[in-house]
Amino acid sequence: MNPRAWVCCLLFVGVGLLPQRVSARAPAPTKSRTEAPADPSPTALSTVVAVVKRDLGQLPPGVIVASAPFTSDVKAPRAAALRLRLLQLVASSISRPPAAATVSRLVGATAAARKRGLAGFVWLRPEVRAGRLALTAEAYSVAATVWSRAARPGATLLRQVHAEARLDAQLRLYLTPLRIGEPRVEKFLGADHGIVALACGDIDADGRSEVVSMSRRRLLIARLAAGRVVREHDVSWASLSGIAPVPLREPLGTLTLVPRDDGPKMWIDASLSDRGQSVRLDDSFSVIATSPQRVVPFGSGSACVRMKSMYLDPKLSSCWGGPVVGLPARLPLRADAVASARIVRTDGTSQRWLAVRGPSGLRLHAGATGYALGQAGAQVAVGDLDQDGQPDVVSTRDVQQPRHDKVDVRSIASSGLVQPRFTLPVLAGVDAVAICPVDDAGVAPVVLASGGEIWLIR
């Protein structure tokens, strides 16, 4: 339960703060009718295409692009359409005019390049595995004259590049849809007691998600394995920041994982009301930057706010000096809890969703579009669990006794209706909650901290 804990996880984000009061009944969810704005943030398809274009480098003019058959470790009823889409996107990015050959074997691509009198071609090997789209691209040269073909009849590999990105709603259209069913829970012992914030993501870009936990004493990066919380790195708050002038009796904390511009790793943005400075850390807990304000998640980044009494000042600003794209001037209402995530829609656009909890309960916003979700506890996370392009909200109960605490998962359907997914009792109370990125072909997992344990919920 831990009523005064901000919790956040980015790419999928959750932040929680103080509860207001015990609520006997929650009002029925309501929705505004204003269309939510689109956000041109990168998708899995655009990410892998951009990496292939960058790493292939300069290619001969008019090169053609061909592809091996698409392979997948899950059912892909529209695999042929996805292969064709990748062909078109890569061809458009590296060749003017775009040229794609509809062949399924490497020898066929070689023959197609020779028939057109070209010096080479690009061969793609697309696949979906372990919850990721993987694309290998190979640049080949072919002999230009009859004599050189006699000496070198095949194609010559010039260079090979590889790109990967996690599945999203745009890609899920080509695969078997997912369904959020009854939860399966794995429990891992050895977590810190008194956790006030959690985050989950692939911080060091090794292909596996880590869990970051924050207590009043330290920050910890760990993996979940064989029923244990396995420590990888930790750092004491005393080595990161001095004591705050007026610490709160119940600590408030945030953790936000932010993709780095200089590579595939992630920054860790951390804030604790016990400490005078918020900090940006790298994956080894080295301090990159500090701020006197409190960090809150915003889409796939973070923003800063000041505290006014026990509420967040609605005015938002950049934390680390650089601009935050699309940052609104203010939060939509006075809040004591904030969660946010950027969610890719099925058409390849995306929306920044913001969950805020105020005196009237929990509300979910995307631009001017708003949903009232009724009373909720202090731990809130937002993400897309089933990759349908619509937000899912994980929240706790607004209760005083830990034994009454529960986790509620609700979704916003494309029709605009709020759909309950499941409710999970947590008798020891929920200290913190976060949503992890997709780590296999299934629904994205939820992690929560409770009484010295980390729960992994699928």
Side-chain angles (χ1 to χ4, degrees):
M1 185 175 67
N2 192 1
R4 295 184 176 177
W6 297 347
V7 184
C8 146
C9 172
L10 270 168
L11 304 173
F12 302 90
V13 189
V15 174
L17 292 172
L18 326 171
Q20 280 293 104
R21 56 183 177 275
V22 175
S23 159
R25 301 184 66 180
T30 60
K31 169 187 176 293
S32 72
R33 297 182 179 274
T34 307
E35 178 65 19
D39 176 10
S41 299
T43 65
L45 280 173
S46 65
T47 297
V48 297
V49 171
V51 171
V52 164
K53 177 184 178 181
R54 180 197 68 199
D55 292 352
L56 279 178
Q58 189 66 34
L59 295 170
V63 66
I64 63 169
V65 183
S67 173
F70 180 86
T71 61
S72 175
D73 60 1
V74 295
K75 292 182 178 180
R78 299 185 62 209
L82 178 55
R83 174 185 174 227
L84 180 59
R85 181 65 175 149
L86 277 167
L87 265 175
Q88 294 169 339
L89 290 173
V90 174
S92 297
S93 71
I94 67 176
S95 130
R96 292 291 183 271
T102 55
V103 296
S104 298
R105 299 178 63 192
L106 188 59
V107 293
T110 304
R114 284 177 174 164
K115 184 177 180 180
R116 301 187 190 196
L118 301 175
F121 62 92
V122 173
W123 181 246
L124 305 179
R125 303 180 188 273
E127 64 176 326
V128 164
R129 64 167 185 258
R132 290 175 175 266
L133 172 66
L135 182 63
T136 300
E138 299 166 342
Y140 285 88
S141 67
V142 296
T145 67
V146 173
W147 299 110
S148 58
R149 289 174 191 170
R152 184 165 56 89
T156 301
L157 177 63
L158 301 176
R159 54 190 171 274
Q160 182 185 78
V161 302
H162 185 78
E164 290 191 9
R166 294 184 186 275
L167 298 181
D168 56 26
Q170 186 184 28
L171 281 174
R172 182 53 62 177
L173 280 178
Y174 300 93
L175 310 175
T176 301
L178 297 176
R179 187 181 71 85
I180 301 175
E182 289 300 312
R184 294 180 292 108
V185 178
E186 295 178 73
K187 298 181 181 181
F188 299 84
L189 302 176
D192 287 345
H193 285 270
I195 289 175
V196 297
L198 279 180
C200 183
D202 187 4
I203 303 166
D204 54 4
D206 67 348
R208 301 178 299 167
S209 290
E210 295 84 32
V211 173
V212 187
S213 67
M214 177 198 294
S215 66
R216 301 187 82 162
R217 186 172 63 88
R218 69 170 181 169
L219 292 163
L220 171 69
I221 298 177
R223 296 192 187 276
L224 306 179
R228 301 291 302 178
V229 177
V230 181
R231 174 196 171 278
E232 292 208 334
H233 301 288
D234 65 3
V235 64
S236 68
W237 264 112
S239 67
L240 299 175
S241 172
I243 297 293
V246 186
L248 301 176
R249 178 180 299 177
E250 297 279 352
L252 308 177
T254 65
L255 282 172
T256 307
L257 303 185
V258 180
R260 292 172 57 164
D261 294 331
D262 59 351
K265 294 184 178 183
M266 307 185 81
W267 301 123
I268 304 169
D269 290 353
S271 179
L272 182 67
S273 60
D274 287 355
R275 299 291 162 175
Q277 299 283 325
S278 298
V279 292
R280 166 162 284 187
L281 310 170
D282 64 12
D283 58 304
S284 62
F285 283 145
S286 297
V287 177
I288 306 302
T290 63
S291 172
Q293 299 189 67
R294 299 298 160 195
V295 182
V296 296
F298 178 72
S300 53
S302 58
C304 268
V305 298
R306 297 186 183 277
M307 293 294 298
K308 283 190 173 180
S309 184
M310 299 306 296
Y311 286 93
L312 297 171
D313 184 343
K315 185 178 179 181
L316 297 173
S317 62
S318 173
C319 292
W320 319 114
V324 180
V325 177
L327 184 68
R330 301 175 66 83
L331 294 171
L333 51 89
R334 187 177 68 160
D336 60 4
V338 178
S340 182
R342 180 187 65 84
I343 296 177
V344 175
R345 301 191 286 198
T346 55
D347 63 0
T349 61
S350 63
Q351 295 170 289
R352 286 183 171 95
W353 289 90
L354 186 70
V356 290
R357 196 189 79 145
S360 61
L362 181 64
R363 291 190 62 86
L364 183 66
H365 288 265
T369 300
Y371 300 85
L373 302 180
Q375 295 297 325
Q379 287 69 45
V380 182
V382 179
D384 185 3
L385 299 179
D386 54 0
Q387 300 153 42
D388 65 350
Q390 295 295 122
D392 303 302
V393 181
V394 181
S395 60
T396 55
R397 295 292 176 92
D398 189 5
V399 296
Q400 296 289 357
Q401 298 298 322
R403 66 178 181 274
H404 298 144
D405 208 359
K406 297 179 181 181
V407 170
D408 295 308
V409 176
R410 290 168 284 181
S411 302
I412 307 298
S414 57
S415 63
L417 295 177
V418 179
Q419 298 180 336
R421 295 296 190 175
F422 65 80
T423 294
L424 180 68
V426 185
L427 296 181
V430 180
D431 298 322
V433 66
I435 298 175
C436 294
V438 177
D439 60 359
D440 56 25
V443 172
V446 175
V447 290
L448 67 82
S450 176
E453 297 178 340
I454 299 293
W455 293 18
L456 184 68
I457 306 167
R458 298 181 184 272

